[in-house]
Amino acid sequence: MRVMKPGLFTTVQDLGRPNAISAGVPPGGAMDRFAHRAANLMAGNDEGAATLECTLSGPGLIALEPCLVAITGADFDPHVNDEPVQMWTSIFLSEGDELSFAGRRSGARAYIAVAGGIEGDRWLGSLSTYMLAARGGMHGRLLKAGDEIGIAGQPSAPAISGRQLAHALRPRYSDHTLHAIAGPHIKRLGAEGRKTLFGSPFSVSRDADRMGYRLEGPVLDASGDELLSFGLTAGAIQVPRSGQPILLMADHQTAGGYPVVATVASAAMPVAAQLLPGDEVTFAEVSIEAALRMRAAQRAALELLRS
Amino acid sequence: MRTHPLGDAALLAELGTRLDTALNTRAIALAAALKKRRDVRQAIAGYASVTVHFDPDQTTHDALAAAIKRLASKRPPMSEPGRLHRIPVVYDGPDMEAVAATLGLPPAKIAEIHARPIYRVFLIGFVPGWAYLGPLPEELELPRRHVPRTKVPAGSVAIAGRQSGIYPLSTSGGWHLIGRTSVKLFLPDSDPPCLFRAGDRVKFFAARE
């Protein structure tokens, strides 16, 4: 495919490079893993193939060869040759067909999978773009007009157009409740602070990117003895001295010493990935068992796309 | 030892709360032992802790926590002393004057004290290639800057608390910059992509340029 318009912030992403964490390199990868996996499975790929992650606006692409694509995640109103097309559905593009996006209707990040997977530079075991080091994906940078996107290999399942994920099985992105599990330093908040964390609305500040989101709202007091730095994970909710929590996302710093009061359930991270500055968000405390049930439900939905 | 959930697929195992070489050695050994398990995806040693990413389809938080407690109670094998890196530093950092004024020591003395010990690499993290080095001699102990810099040049040699470090990339940072080095810490085209590893030793020496 040829890139006619790059979109605001379009990168190649897969499921990241977890083995590089011990070198201080963020795990990276698609922010919304459910949308990424679903797009791949609809296009007949393994769920870890690379996709395009499109932030806030979509690209304009022309198919140089016939191909099967699937678009998931945020709704940017996709069109093929100026005709609206369905999301969460595999669609066939003929040579010369133009895929474009009319504009953002909801959410932050859309994913485009192509049968065979997007080709890109492999760095430390992953095709994910990591711009700070200018490595991975499309030469470690954003897509730009004129780029040619290659296909990595053969799809693992037959190319079938119309493969679709039912509405009820898609994430409820409009519900900004993030289920979270109490973290190592939750006791520092006290009973009142814990009630504030789990229940009060926070809003996503302008300081929100692939590394993490600074949240605004009620001030949390997690002060206490200085902590020795320890390994972090995506979804961790840190409370620095300012008392305004930080939600860590895919390109998070790998270690830090701020208290971690809770961690967002892995099944709630797709919703987190679709938040934008100004969005209101509420954390709801869940047990590990409840979080794993949510995770299992998402896995079951994805399994339906394999059959 | 205590374990705490970090979501539904990771946990934090805390061996202690002190900045201590013996605790760090145990953390590194525990992380290495855990990495060999099939239900563990990744184990990262902190100063005195291990963050374990696991596969919830293969184990549960509680089962893994129990296994970690058993492993941690064993005496760690004798570890080899880490590799020694000699790092040249030009002690002319933008904060040198302010640090000298706060501590009431001349810059030359600060350089001498900073270059005196052999530091240990306690952990790699924060940004690619960053190493937390310590312990810094008590005479140089300072809290972090009130206002972090938005841009710290790559190669800056910095101190904060009882720690020292070298900025591998141009990033934001709140430590005091006392010098700079030409040695590259982040090596994006090597695997692993960093010069230092946890457990390595570092000796600074004063250089002209």
Side-chain angles (χ1 to χ4, degrees):
Chain A
M1 295 201 286
R2 179 171 293 129
V3 179
M4 306 306 286
K5 267 172 44 186
L8 192 66
F9 190 101
T10 306
T11 58
V12 175
Q13 298 291 342
D14 58 14
L15 294 175
R17 43 182 71 85
N19 293 329
I21 303 176
S22 53
V25 177
M31 293 272 278
D32 180 345
R33 304 267 161 131
F34 184 88
H36 167 88
R37 289 184 159 110
N40 270 328
L41 293 173
M42 285 182 273
N45 298 334
D46 289 334
E47 57 182 33
T51 63
L52 295 178
E53 180 179 275
C54 318
T55 308
L56 290 169
S57 73
L61 306 171
I62 284 190
L64 301 177
E65 283 172 34
C67 58
L68 188 75
V69 301
I71 303 152
T72 61
D75 185 356
F76 296 165
D77 194 5
H79 284 63
V80 171
N81 302 334
D82 297 326
E83 285 293 320
V85 291
Q86 283 191 298
M87 293 184 58
W88 302 92
T89 307
S90 59
I91 47 181
F92 191 74
L93 299 184
S94 304
E95 187 183 330
D97 277 354
E98 190 177 352
L99 173 64
S100 63
F101 295 83
R104 193 183 74 85
R105 288 162 154 166
S106 62
R109 294 176 171 86
Y111 292 82
I112 305 171
V114 183
I118 304 276
E119 195 178 57
D121 299 343
R122 186 171 293 277
W123 183 55
L124 304 174
S126 163
L127 269 57
S128 290
T129 309
Y130 182 50
M131 288 175 49
L132 191 63
R135 292 293 187 283
M138 185 62 83
H139 315 314
R141 60 163 170 80
L142 301 177
L143 247 56
K144 62 179 193 214
D147 281 342
E148 268 191 30
I149 299 169
I151 303 302
Q154 291 297 316
S156 49
I160 302 168
S161 69
R163 199 183 266 141
Q164 191 172 53
L165 188 68
H167 272 278
L169 299 176
R170 302 174 195 171
R172 294 197 357 245
Y173 292 129
S174 56
D175 179 357
H176 293 172
T177 306
L178 298 182
H179 299 89
I181 295 151
H185 310 110
I186 183 76
K187 288 211 176 80
R188 289 184 172 221
L189 293 181
E192 275 304 304
R194 187 174 184 143
K195 265 207 308 225
T196 306
L197 171 67
F198 294 119
S200 299
F202 291 87
S203 72
V204 178
S205 77
R206 296 172 64 90
D207 195 356
D209 56 22
R210 283 186 45 89
M211 291 174 68
Y213 306 161
R214 277 181 189 272
L215 304 178
E216 290 168 343
V219 171
L220 299 171
D221 181 3
S223 57
D225 293 342
E226 285 266 320
L227 294 169
L228 295 174
S229 290
F230 56 94
L232 294 168
T233 177
I237 303 166
Q238 294 181 316
V239 180
R241 276 193 213 108
S242 70
Q244 297 287 281
I246 303 167
L247 171 60
L248 299 183
M249 299 301 291
D251 283 346
H252 64 85
Q253 60 180 67
T254 58
Y258 291 139
V260 170
V261 292
T263 309
V264 172
S266 48
M269 287 302 282
V271 170
Q274 298 296 348
L275 295 173
L276 285 172
D279 280 344
E280 204 166 81
V281 54
T282 310
F283 297 107
E285 185 172 7
V286 288
S287 64
I288 296 178
E289 293 71 27
L292 288 174
R293 282 195 295 275
M294 291 167 59
R295 183 178 177 274
Q298 287 187 353
R299 296 281 291 260
L302 291 175
E303 277 310 309
L304 292 175
L305 292 172
R306 289 183 201 275
S307 49
Chain B
M1 211 227 20
R2 298 170 61 185
T3 58
H4 308 275
L6 274 174
D8 49 51
L11 62 81
L12 175 67
E14 277 183 331
L15 297 169
T17 53
R18 281 172 302 119
L19 194 160
D20 177 281
T21 299
L23 275 176
N24 183 242
T25 304
R26 280 179 56 202
I28 293 169
L30 180 59
L34 284 167
K35 270 190 199 173
K36 293 184 186 140
R37 290 175 61 100
R38 285 185 52 184
D39 50 8
V40 168
R41 287 178 176 151
Q42 194 55 242
I44 314 293
Y47 270 102
S49 63
V50 183
T51 295
V52 189
H53 298 261
F54 60 89
D55 180 355
D57 292 331
Q58 289 192 51
T59 188
T60 63
H61 172 276
D62 292 351
L64 189 59
I68 292 170
K69 284 204 170 96
R70 279 196 304 277
L71 273 172
S73 66
K74 286 192 193 146
R75 249 188 42 191
M78 285 293 289
S79 57
E80 298 274 316
R83 302 172 305 164
L84 179 67
H85 306 270
R86 286 175 50 79
I87 306 293
V89 180
V90 183
Y91 282 101
D92 64 354
D95 293 332
M96 187 53 118
E97 291 298 324
V99 167
T102 311
L103 295 173
L105 294 168
K109 186 72 183 168
I110 289 168
E112 186 199 315
I113 299 171
H114 183 257
R116 199 190 291 150
I118 292 178
Y119 295 90
R120 176 183 176 83
V121 176
F122 279 91
L123 71 139
I124 307 284
F126 170 52
V127 291
W130 171 273
Y132 291 90
L133 306 174
L136 180 74
E138 250 170 281
E139 300 109 285
L140 300 186
E141 187 173 346
L142 279 175
R144 290 170 196 211
R145 287 168 56 90
H146 284 298
V147 183
R149 282 190 172 81
T150 50
K151 216 66 174 163
V152 173
S156 296
V157 175
I159 58 171
R162 295 292 306 279
Q163 306 168 95
S164 187
I166 307 166
Y167 285 88
L169 295 162
S170 178
T171 57
S172 60
W175 292 26
H176 305 274
L177 312 182
I178 59 166
R180 61 194 155 91
T181 182
S182 53
V183 175
K184 298 273 176 286
L185 283 106
F186 176 53
L187 310 166
D189 297 313
S190 303
D191 192 0
C194 52
L195 182 63
F196 297 159
R197 275 166 232 169
D200 281 359
R201 294 169 302 148
V202 175
K203 181 83 173 81
F204 293 110
F205 66 95
R208 288 250 172 87
E209 263 311 318

